[in-house]
Amino acid sequence: MEKITLHDKTFRLFIPNQDIEKAIDAVALQLNQDYADSTDQDPAILLCTLNGAVIFAAELLKRVNFPLVLKACKLSSYQGTSSTGVVKTDVPLPNNLEGKRVIIVEDIVDTGNTIVAMTEQLRQKNVKDARVCTLLLKKDVYDKDVKLDYVAMEIPNRFIVGFGLDYDELGRNIKDIYVLDD
Ligand code: IMP
Ligand code: MG
């Protein structure tokens, strides 16, 4: 479908599913190289940030082949189509992460407030290493110092939905990515 409507807004097709999947293939390949030394005794922690990253995390899980443990947390900062600037913790980060190598799986990095809050919380938990793996990056907006280790796709500063991303909770179950049509 070329156009969709969610709540009061119209969106047009932006990134077709096959392009998203190709970008995920490339990121998974990198992860498989970088975490090849994970072991059953010392598995990597794949930390999925709910709800937006749930599809990306599932697609990664189908493609990565090193020992890992799946965990989740839920942070939110968006209301409607813009950031509130305040990061709320709805489901806290897991305990027992001390000495672990953590891969933060995010749907999208925009201002970076969420990723800054998460890496700070992980630092306080004395993780061995925390890397960021994001499906999307709004690179003209992001102005923080946290290194974004794995970025599947860069997009301009536009509001998008689909493939896990929502507009006021709708649109997560659309398999392509759509952009606000204004
Ligand atoms: P940040 O904290 O400003 O980097 O925002 C990151 C969070 O805001 C993401 O995890 C998303 O939940 C949400 N977000 C940012 N941009 C978009 C967008 O274009 N569409 C839907 N959600 C977005
Ligand atoms: Mg999110």
Side-chain angles (χ1 to χ4, degrees):
M1 240 188 309
E2 265 312 303
K3 292 207 176 183
I4 56 160
T5 302
L6 299 170
H7 298 297
D8 56 334
K9 296 197 191 305
T10 307
F11 297 81
R12 64 185 155 75
L13 185 59
F14 188 49
I15 311 173
N17 183 271
Q18 64 264 32
D19 294 359
I20 306 170
E21 298 229 345
K22 253 185 249 162
I24 299 174
D25 287 342
V27 165
L29 208 71
Q30 278 180 279
L31 288 170
N32 281 334
Q33 286 168 0
D34 295 352
Y35 290 87
D37 58 347
S38 293
T39 62
D40 292 1
Q41 289 69 41
D42 186 21
I45 308 291
L46 206 71
L47 180 57
C48 174
T49 60
L50 302 171
N51 293 326
V54 71
I55 300 184
F56 179 40
E59 291 300 326
L60 281 177
L61 282 167
K62 292 195 240 171
R63 291 167 171 81
V64 294
N65 53 25
F66 49 87
L68 65 83
V69 170
L70 178 64
K71 301 270 183 187
C73 64
K74 185 165 193 260
L75 304 178
S76 57
S77 61
Y78 246 65
Q79 214 162 48
T81 62
S82 59
S83 173
T84 62
V86 180
V87 182
K88 273 199 323 162
T89 302
D90 301 330
V91 177
L93 275 74
N95 291 319
N96 309 324
L97 292 179
E98 191 168 339
K100 300 289 188 192
R101 290 203 292 176
V102 179
I103 305 165
I104 300 169
V105 180
E106 250 291 27
D107 52 353
I108 186 162
V109 175
D110 180 358
T111 63
N113 290 331
T114 307
I115 230 65
V116 166
M118 280 189 80
T119 48
E120 176 55 25
Q121 289 185 40
L122 287 170
R123 203 186 55 76
Q124 286 171 13
K125 289 176 181 291
N126 297 315
V127 299
K128 181 171 169 197
D129 177 48
R131 293 191 188 177
V132 179
C133 178
T134 184
L135 178 63
L136 295 145
L137 167 64
K138 292 184 192 173
K139 74 168 191 311
D140 300 332
V141 185
Y142 182 67
D143 61 356
K144 305 297 188 291
D145 294 328
V146 175
K147 186 177 173 216
L148 306 176
D149 303 270
Y150 308 95
V151 177
M153 291 178 289
E154 293 183 346
I155 60 162
N157 184 18
R158 305 293 302 276
F159 186 76
I160 57 166
V161 293
F163 209 86
L165 290 101
D166 69 303
Y167 167 44
D168 277 345
E169 297 303 333
L170 293 185
R172 295 195 197 275
N173 57 329
I174 297 167
K175 74 179 178 50
D176 308 297
I177 290 178
Y178 282 73
V179 65
L180 184 61
D181 199 15
D182 44 13

